[in-house]
Amino acid sequence: MGRRRRIFEGKAKVLYEGPEPGTLVQYFKDDTVAWHSKKKGTITGKGVLNNRISEYLMSRLGEIGVPTHFVRRLNMREQLIREAEIIPLRVVVRNVVAGSLSQRLGLPEGSVLPRSIVEFYYKKDDLEDPLVSDEHITAFGWASPYEIDEIMALSLRVNDYLSGLFLGIGVRLVDFRLEFGRLWENDELRIVLTDEISPDNCRLWDIKTNEKMDMDRFRCDLGRVEEAYQEVARRLGILPESATPAKPEGKKS
Ligand code: UDP
C-alpha cells in the first residue's frame, strides 16, 4: 500500500485514510498510556495482539447482530473499519467493583455488583473524561434520548455476550469501556460500536486466582504485561504464531 494520509494519531492507535470513501485503516501501536497520559510506556507486541483480539471480539459481536465499525483485519497491525461520526462519550460497563468506582464510592475492589452498571463519561482528554449523566448528554446534544437508549441496550448486550465468552475461558469480565459512532446504513442512521475491545480497555481477572490479565498490569507496575495480553489471546485460541513477542532474557515461556 502506498503512502496514506494520516487522519488522526491517538495514544494507542493511528487512523489512516482507507482504500475507499467511508473507510479508514486503524493501526495498532505498542505505545501505552495510563492515568490520563501521566504514565507512558511501550508493551512489546501489544499492537499485534490487540488488533487480533479486537478483530475476534468485534467479529463475534457482529455475528450476534451487534453493529460494529469493523470490516476486516488487513495485516498484523492494521484493520479496515467503516468511518463513523464520533459520539463524544465513553461508556463503561461494570460487573465487579474496581478502579475509579472503588475510589469514588469507597467500595472494596472485587465485590460483585448487584446488577451491571452502565456509566457515561464525556470524551474529553484535557478534562480527563468526566462522569456525566443522561441530562448532560441530551442538554449538550451529544446524543439524543433514543440514541442513549440504543447505546445502553447495545452495551448490556455486549456485556452479556462477552461475560459468557470470557467465563468459558476462565476469565472474569470485571468491567470494560466502549465507544460508539453513527453510520448511515440503508438510508438509516445507526449507532455502531467503534474503537477496539482488548485488554487495553477491559479488566480481565483469572477466574481462579483473580490475577489481572489486562492494562492494570501496566498501570500498577505488576510486571509480565506482554505475557498477560498473550495469555488472553492464547485462551481465546487466536494467538498468532509470528506475533509472539520476544521474551525478556532469562525467562522461559
Ligand atoms: N478504561 C480505559 N481507558 C481509560 C480509563 C479506563 O479503557 O483511559 C477502562 C478500564 O480498562 C476499565 C474501565 O474503563 O475496564 C473502567 O475504568 P475506571 O473508570 O475504573 O478507570 P480507571 O480506574 O481505569 O482509570
Side-chain angles (χ1 to χ4, degrees):
M1 211 180 268
R3 279 290 87 207
R4 295 159 305 182
R5 195 158 67 88
R6 184 189 303 230
I7 308 279
F8 174 78
E9 174 142 16
K11 287 167 267 187
K13 296 188 291 291
V14 188
L15 290 179
Y16 294 98
E17 198 171 51
E20 296 142 37
T23 65
L24 296 172
V25 172
Q26 180 163 255
Y27 176 98
F28 288 73
K29 303 190 278 186
D30 287 346
D31 297 354
T32 310
V33 302
W35 308 120
H36 300 286
S37 303
K38 291 180 197 88
K39 182 176 163 80
K40 294 190 170 135
T42 303
I43 303 174
T44 313
K46 179 190 75 133
V48 176
L49 290 164
N50 281 357
N51 185 24
R52 191 72 186 83
I53 293 170
S54 197
E55 171 198 20
Y56 181 78
L57 298 177
M58 290 271 186
S59 304
R60 295 294 79 77
L61 287 166
E63 284 163 11
I64 62 154
V66 173
T68 83
H69 73 162
F70 178 80
V71 180
R72 65 174 182 278
R73 188 166 60 86
L74 297 171
N75 54 50
M76 300 262 280
R77 285 188 184 268
E78 293 179 328
Q79 47 183 245
L80 185 68
I81 58 171
R82 293 185 293 163
E83 186 172 17
E85 183 190 330
I86 291 172
I87 294 176
L89 295 174
R90 291 187 157 131
V91 182
V92 170
V93 185
R94 302 179 181 274
N95 300 306
V96 175
V97 174
S100 68
L101 180 67
S102 156
Q103 283 158 14
R104 201 181 324 126
L105 301 184
L107 299 170
E109 187 165 272
S111 359
V112 176
L113 290 164
R115 63 176 173 84
S116 303
I117 294 177
V118 180
E119 297 173 336
F120 295 110
Y121 294 83
Y122 178 41
K123 184 175 156 127
K124 192 86 176 153
D125 283 338
D126 42 356
L127 296 177
E128 302 191 347
D129 300 344
L131 183 67
V132 293
S133 73
D134 295 25
E135 288 285 289
H136 300 99
I137 298 171
T138 48
F140 297 118
W142 299 327
S144 67
Y146 165 78
E147 288 175 327
I148 297 177
D149 286 351
E150 184 70 8
I151 289 172
M152 284 282 279
L154 286 172
S155 300
L156 290 171
R157 224 165 137 218
V158 170
N159 184 44
D160 282 348
Y161 182 78
L162 292 186
S163 292
L165 184 145
F166 278 115
L167 197 61
I169 56 166
V171 173
R172 187 190 309 277
L173 180 60
V174 170
D175 56 30
F176 58 98
R177 194 188 74 177
L178 300 175
E179 295 191 22
F180 292 89
R182 297 181 187 94
L183 201 57
W184 284 103
E185 228 170 49
N186 307 324
D187 290 335
E188 212 187 312
L189 196 56
R190 289 192 80 185
I191 301 284
V192 297
L193 189 58
T194 62
D195 194 44
E196 68 177 300
I197 309 179
S198 72
D200 266 16
N201 53 17
C202 298
R203 281 199 174 92
L204 304 169
W205 296 357
D206 182 87
I207 207 87
K208 289 207 193 95
T209 64
N210 276 339
E211 198 181 358
K212 296 183 196 314
M213 305 172 70
D214 55 62
M215 174 70 122
D216 273 352
R217 299 205 72 82
F218 170 81
R219 280 195 194 104
C220 308
D221 293 317
L222 300 176
R224 291 186 293 109
V225 191
E226 299 99 90
E227 287 86 342
Y229 279 60
Q230 258 189 55
E231 177 61 13
V232 172
R234 192 191 65 76
R235 289 197 197 181
L236 287 169
I238 54 171
L239 187 64
E241 300 301 318
S242 48
T244 310
K247 287 271 174 292
E249 273 169 51
K251 278 205 169 175
K252 64 184 188 71
S253 53

